[in-house]
């Protein structure tokens, strides 16, 4: 719900609301559905993708992000309630099976991927501390932000990353 609050402030002309994507029975209602770091929390993800497909108007779009690579699984995923991390091939197959046409697929958090792998490897058995993820030194936080900004610019220029901590997919209803 916190994310909806921030999204509606950033996009005041958009209608933002929460749905139960597992049990929704909406047809041809939406132009765009955003599903950002949500799908990995839901066991019947194929059901959710099918429901979103049916909820979209013809040629409507799904904007989707999910965590990538099961080998990155850690206590962070468990505490967050994740059911899985995705491989690109698995997610794209599930989207195509639901009826979607893939418009764009890329990994992101690619430039920081070596750092992410090291952190996950060395902290695999560590006690989870949620606060530590948010209490970064301002210089470190700004540096990481700038690296992610460079990555965003590269993606906007058409570069697609083959690996990274997350996947971004834009899919369209056929």
């Amino acid at each position: 719900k916190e994310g909806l609050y921030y999204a509606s402030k950033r996009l005041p002309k958009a209608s933002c609301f929460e749905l139960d994507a597992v049990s929704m029975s909406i047809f041809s209602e939406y132009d765009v559905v955003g599903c950002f770091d949500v799908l990995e929390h839901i066991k019947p993800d194929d059901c959710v993708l099918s429901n979103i497909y049916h909820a979209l108007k013809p040629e409507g779009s799904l904007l989707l992000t999910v965590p990538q690579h099961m080998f990155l699984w850690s206590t962070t995923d468990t505490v967050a309630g994740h059911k899985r991390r995705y491989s690109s091939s698995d997610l794209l197959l599930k989207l195509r099976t639901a009826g979607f046409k893939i418009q764009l697929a890329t990994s992101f958090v690619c430039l920081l991927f070596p750092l992410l792998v090291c952190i996950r490897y060395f902290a695999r058995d560590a006690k989870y501390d949620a606060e530590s993820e948010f209490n970064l030194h301002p210089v470190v936080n700004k540096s990481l932000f700038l690296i992610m900004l460079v990555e965003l610019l590269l993606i906007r220029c058409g570069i697609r990353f083959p690996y990274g901590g997350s996947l971004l997919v834009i899919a369209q209803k056929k």
Side-chain angles (χ1 to χ4, degrees), residues 4-16:
L4 286 174
Y5 171 76
Y6 289 110
S8 63
K9 287 186 74 107
R10 290 183 71 188
L11 303 164
K13 294 181 182 177
S15 298
C16 298

Side-chain angles (χ1 to χ4, degrees), residues 90-104:
D90 182 46
L91 181 62
L92 296 180
L93 176 62
K94 288 180 180 203
L95 286 162
R96 288 184 181 110
T97 299
F100 286 100
K101 177 181 167 188
I102 308 304
Q103 299 290 327
L104 176 144

Side-chain angles (χ1 to χ4, degrees), residues 54-113:
H54 294 298
L56 286 168
K57 293 178 182 177
E59 299 186 11
S61 294
L62 168 62
L63 312 176
L64 175 69
T65 61
V66 295
Q68 187 173 7
H69 303 302
M70 277 304 293
F71 73 84
L72 289 175
W73 188 272
S74 73
T75 306
T76 302
D77 293 287
T78 304
V79 170
H82 292 175
K83 306 295 184 213
R84 72 194 69 74
R85 287 178 151 267
Y86 288 86
S87 70
S88 178
S89 59
D90 182 46
L91 181 62
L92 296 180
L93 176 62
K94 288 180 180 203
L95 286 162
R96 288 184 181 110
T97 299
F100 286 100
K101 177 181 167 188
I102 308 304
Q103 299 290 327
L104 176 144
T106 187
S107 296
F108 66 104
V109 193
C110 179
L111 300 177
L112 293 172
F113 192 66

Side-chain angles (χ1 to χ4, degrees), residues 6 17 26 36 61 65 70 111 115 123-124 130-131 138 141 150:
Y6 289 110
F17 47 91
I26 299 167
F36 306 109
S61 294
T65 61
M70 277 304 293
L111 300 177
L115 178 62
R124 188 165 305 276
E131 289 301 314
N141 195 39
V150 167

Side-chain angles (χ1 to χ4, degrees), residues 33 39 106 152:
V33 171
L39 198 59
T106 187
L152 173 62

Side-chain angles (χ1 to χ4, degrees), residues 15-35:
S15 298
C16 298
F17 47 91
E18 183 178 354
L19 288 172
D20 181 349
V22 174
S23 63
M24 72 178 187
S25 56
I26 299 167
F27 296 94
S28 298
E29 183 76 22
Y30 306 114
D31 296 309
V32 178
V33 171
C35 192

